[in-house]
Amino acid sequence: MAGVAERILLVEDDPEQVRLVVHLLEQKGYVVEAAPDAETAWNVCRTTVYDALVVDYYLPDGNGLEFFRRLTGLGPPPPTIMLTGVKEEAVEMEAIRLGVETFLAKDSAGLFRTLLPIYLERALSRGRLEKEKRQAEADLQAHWRMFQAINDAALDAIIVMDGQGRVAHWSPAAERIFGYRADEAIGQDVHALLAPPELREQATQGITKFLQTGQGPVLGKIVELEAVRQDGVRIPVELSVAAIRETSCCRAVAIARDISARRRAEAELQRQTEQLHFRLKELHCLFGIYQLLEDTESPWEETLAKAVQLIPSAWQYPEKACARLILDNQVFATENFQETVWKLGAPIWCGGQLAGALEVCYLQPLPQADIGPFLKEEKALLELVADHLAHIIEHLQAQQRIRELKRQIEFVLEATRTSLSITDAERNLLYVDPGAQRIYGDPTGRKCYEYFGGAEEPCPHCPLGGVREGEVVQYEATLPKEGHRPVQVITTAFRDEKGRLLIANVVVDLTDRKRMESALMQSQKLEAVGRLAAGIAHEINTPAQYIRNNLHFLQDAFQELRQALAYSGRRLETEGQSEEAAEAAEAAAPPSDEDLNFLCQEVPKALEQSAKGVEEIAAIVRAMRQFVQPAQTGKESVDLNEVIRSTLTICRNEWKYAAEVVTDLAPQLPLLPGSVHDLHQVVLQLVVNAAQAIQEAQEKQGQKTKGTITVSTRQNGPWVEMRVADNGVGIPPENLSKIFDPFFTTRPVGQGRGQGLCIARSIVVDGHGGAIDVESKPGQGATFIVRLPVLQSAQEASGLHPLALHSAYQPLHADQPEQRPPRQEPLTLETSAQTGFAVPLETSDGSCFLEGGGFPFAASPE
């Protein structure tokens, strides 16, 4: 025995016999296990596979034959040798009938121990053969089932030919491909059944040779040929044949595949390949034409001349083709162009009108195998190229107009000192007009903040990052590289034809406008001065009048005091002289003691009152001087409280008959970056507006009681807030959204032009980056709220530059808590006046010229 040791089960109740048999069999190389009774043997056989059994006939719980009969119920039992002490012929016959290999008697001489290994090996050999047979049969069945599955599932026909050339097997796929059922095909001659009539004789000779020699022209090859279906239709098949050589004859197996669909696919692929080749030539031609469009600087006529040269390359015979483009009165043709009878043409339509034609000619006849002078694909291609050329011509003409328009725009930009730049969303410069390039250089590959400002990072308050498509943002700035030239920047976002978001910046020169605005503002201020002149003159004439009266009084008092001094001198001179001299001295009546006491009391009062009047006039002149001084060209540090005080002094005559002005000015108010000149205008417009609202309320109610105008200031975070409140007629709700519009007014004709509040809003919002709002209820007055950004630091104060960007101011934080100082005091000349100006001098014509103010005012009495 070779390989793994075979396992033997010994069923024996005699321990001595068990020892002897086990020893004997183990010496022969077997693995032996023992069971003392039938039940034990039954249990182990259910769980363990043994190669052979040695069973004693007599067992404690039955006999070995019963055990063997029971064991056959589990299936074919392993080879079994049965031992017995006494041979009984009937028992032996029954055991052999049941399948026991042999019935061996246990003799006293021990002969059975000699025979047992021999019989056991013979039984095991028969068992091995039987097992191999069963395995072979099982394998055969498995291979047959696999063949059947392959035969049934195969898409290709499987045909087996026997030794006489007849069909021995006909698969379901063969039935499907050739139309014959298996019972119709089996037994038929293969070639008579499937070969075309003209090939049957040749096929018969080939099969005869194959049957005799086992060789043939198609063996071991894959060939394509035609077969005839049952319905007579010929179909292309792909055939492979293998020979089955036997001792007496040769058989063959053929695998046949219907390739009709493949032939159709190949034909379609061939057609599409030819069409693709033609399309590639077409695309190459069109691509070459469109590449010419990249040259945007060449004249469009030159581009069309080059495009015509590319057209013949797309034709079936490019070396024999020529082309011509007729456009209006211009002709563009290939160098070899000749008009022949083999011509094909297509019209060119531009803008809905016939603009010309495209023609292609062959210079000689085509080969006779070709159908007609031109293929239908070539005719379609010519129409396509003509259509594309029409679009290209329109595009080229548009480009020409764009170039002309671009030159005109750049000329206008340069003439008006306006520049244009375009960036993408990442601030990369895409276009800068030539005028700006001459100043700043080449913008290629540069960021806008690097190019224009020399900065390494975007500007902190640059609007480019947040501007939305279609939105327009305007602000003012200066150009450091151009001497801080003032400009207005208009920024808007749009999308190009590719959908990219681009930002355009139009920079408009403001030098002349700023100059004109400055002149206009000065003119408006002078106009306001003219409007206030009568009231200012009255305000000045009042203290001037009592100063003049006091001076006359002092002049008279001086005469009386001089007389008293003269009298006292004469009395001293006449002491000790004659009585006549003393009487002469008494004749000059001296002032009485009562008069002298009066003078001593009133002269100091007159001097004090005159000094006070001079201070009042000085305060008015100083305020007037601040009000009318020309506007500065840039921002300056502004004390808003001082602006309010001086403006209230100037316009006192506008409000003093209608209202009392109460100021609530926050102490230590921070400075503002702005224009004193402009802020005077704002305060003036709001106070005058409040006084007019109070006058209107008095007229409606028929009252003479003065109203109240309250002007207050406070700091609110990074903002200074000024409020001008009145208890006038108020503003109707429908007018709240219109009061800042230009020329909107509710005053009667001739009493207002509707420009005051509009100008105030422009100064606050556009000029100072602030905000102005109004709160009002009809009949309860109105409150105008002005918020202005605070000057943040001394460095900012020293570095204020003309026309600083208004976007540099922070947005208004409306949620800051309100903090109002409780102090309120009436505004009077005494509380607002300050000294420091020269005393007014009376001129010969009765007017006063105030040194330092520079304006003569008529000194008319009240």
Side-chain angles (χ1 to χ4, degrees), residues 615-616 618-620 622-623 641-642 644-646 648-650 652 655 663 665 825-835:
E615 291 177 359
E616 292 180 3
I620 295 173
R622 185 164 53 252
N641 286 345
E642 184 59 33
I644 292 172
R645 292 189 187 101
S646 60
L648 290 174
T649 300
I650 291 299
R652 185 171 185 271
W655 52 260
T663 59
L665 307 180
E825 59 181 23
L827 178 68
T828 64
L829 290 176
E830 289 78 2
T831 60
S832 63
Q834 299 181 16
T835 60

Side-chain angles (χ1 to χ4, degrees), residues 647-667:
T647 305
L648 290 174
T649 300
I650 291 299
C651 66
R652 185 171 185 271
N653 203 60
E654 296 288 324
W655 52 260
K656 72 177 184 178
Y657 299 109
E660 293 288 344
V661 173
V662 177
T663 59
D664 180 10
L665 307 180

Side-chain angles (χ1 to χ4, degrees), residues 11 35 37-44 46 59 61 67 70:
V11 186
D37 51 48
E39 188 64 26
T40 303
W42 166 255
N43 291 330
V44 297
R46 291 175 63 185
L59 296 173
D61 53 354
F67 165 71
R70 185 182 180 188

Side-chain angles (χ1 to χ4, degrees), residues 11-14 35-38 56-63:
V11 186
E12 173 66 59
D13 62 330
D14 186 353
D37 51 48
D56 190 12
Y57 178 73
Y58 292 103
L59 296 173
D61 53 354
N63 60 60

Side-chain angles (χ1 to χ4, degrees), residues 17 97 102 142 191 215-216 219 227 353 363 521 597 673 697 744 818:
Q17 289 291 341
R97 187 184 66 80
T102 185
H191 296 91
Q215 297 179 355
L219 289 177
Q353 296 182 347
L363 300 176
M521 292 296 289
N597 289 334
F744 177 79
E818 182 174 349

